[in-house]
Amino acid sequence: SQQGEEDPQALSIQEGENATMNCSYKTSINNLQWYRQNSGRGLVHLILIRSNEREKHSGRLRVTLDTSKKSSSLLITASRAADTASYFCAPGRPGGSYIPTFGRGTSLIVHP
Amino acid sequence: GAGVSQSPSNKVTEKGKDVELRCDPISGHTALYWYRQSLGQGLEFLIYFQGNSAPDKSGLPSDRFSAERTGGSVSTLTIQRTQQEDSAVYLCASSLVSGGRRNTIYFGEGSWLTVV
């Protein structure tokens, strides 16, 4: 399995500010995904970035990937109170079965 | 179905009882995963099914936990002789292809288990 570790563990910002979360991993990957979880319910897939990509955008989300540093970042621009959730990264290893393992996530609180 | 469906959504059971949690994956998804999440913790991998291959049970915490997947679709996670430390949200997920490029994983809403 391939586990991602999110940092910081907790992040508290005001509405309108940008939120940046980081993910580090240890072995080579073929892609990395970010997920969001509201209040201990199911995770929702946000975005996937492949190992040959350095940056990807989806709406207010911007993901970067640095395979040389084995790290990724998720930026949420112009945050809203509704963005309050936990965010997890899931590195995908090349070949074989894909069993993502998740760290503790980053708990983001956006104050209105 | 439209998404991964889990039942029950909430279950309160007495210590020592057995419980069964059900997962209906998205139709056609060959890979199915079970995770559990204790309060304030990350997701803990439990078991993984892929097509007709033998399941990867490496995450099951004890022999009180077992899971099966019938007909390559519905899965049941069984916890025997429940303990209070089994209290958690049990999350099921499925994906179309394991590995490769199409591996977005879709999660159900989870089954909250409370052992009293």
Side-chain angles (χ1 to χ4, degrees):
Chain A
S1 60
Q2 164 75 288
Q3 181 169 356
E5 294 292 340
E6 298 86 359
D7 174 72
Q9 289 189 9
L11 183 59
S12 181
I13 60 173
Q14 294 296 126
E15 210 167 30
E17 294 179 339
N18 295 341
T20 299
M21 290 158 271
N22 303 296
C23 169
S24 60
Y25 56 92
K26 294 183 178 178
T27 62
S28 59
I29 63 171
N30 63 358
N31 62 54
L32 186 143
Q33 300 181 61
W34 283 91
Y35 289 82
R36 163 196 169 121
Q37 182 184 39
N38 286 65
S39 302
R41 307 308 291 192
L43 277 68
V44 175
H45 179 258
L46 294 176
I47 193 166
L48 179 151
I49 186 166
R50 304 193 192 286
S51 60
N52 60 353
E53 297 176 309
R54 292 295 168 259
E55 187 171 313
K56 196 164 184 178
H57 297 254
S58 177
R60 293 183 297 111
L61 304 180
R62 172 177 168 252
V63 169
T64 62
L65 179 65
D66 187 337
T67 53
S68 66
K69 296 181 179 178
K70 293 186 169 57
S71 69
S72 174
S73 68
L74 171 66
L75 169 67
I76 304 175
T77 60
S79 62
R80 305 167 182 168
D83 295 328
T84 294
S86 291
Y87 293 82
F88 297 85
C89 67
R93 65 181 186 185
S97 65
Y98 172 66
I99 303 176
T101 51
F102 300 86
R104 293 191 176 190
T106 291
S107 175
L108 172 66
I109 298 176
V110 181
H111 299 279
Chain B
V4 178
S5 177
Q6 292 188 245
S7 62
S9 55
N10 292 282
K11 175 74 175 179
V12 179
T13 190
E14 293 181 352
K15 178 181 173 181
K17 300 278 189 182
D18 296 352
V19 295
E20 285 189 352
L21 307 176
R22 175 187 169 106
C23 174
D24 279 277
I26 293 173
S27 179
H29 280 193
T30 56
L32 186 147
Y33 313 75
W34 282 98
Y35 292 86
R36 78 173 173 182
Q37 185 178 33
S38 301
L39 188 64
Q41 301 298 310
L43 275 73
E44 176 186 5
F45 165 72
L46 297 178
I47 189 169
Y48 161 73
F49 296 89
Q50 165 56 10
N52 295 321
S53 302
D56 182 334
K57 305 179 181 180
S58 59
L60 294 179
S62 77
D63 59 7
R64 296 187 295 106
F65 288 74
S66 63
E68 62 178 19
R69 188 178 185 191
T70 55
S73 181
V74 172
S75 177
T76 302
L77 176 68
T78 301
I79 309 172
Q80 296 178 309
R81 306 181 301 283
T82 52
Q83 304 295 314
Q84 288 185 329
E85 59 264 28
D86 299 335
S87 297
V89 177
Y90 289 81
L91 292 161
C92 177
S94 70
S95 66
L96 180 60
V97 175
S98 177
R101 299 173 70 84
R102 292 176 294 166
N103 54 10
T104 296
I105 295 176
Y106 298 88
F107 281 80
E109 287 296 288
S111 291
W112 285 86
L113 175 65
T114 303
V115 182
V116 297

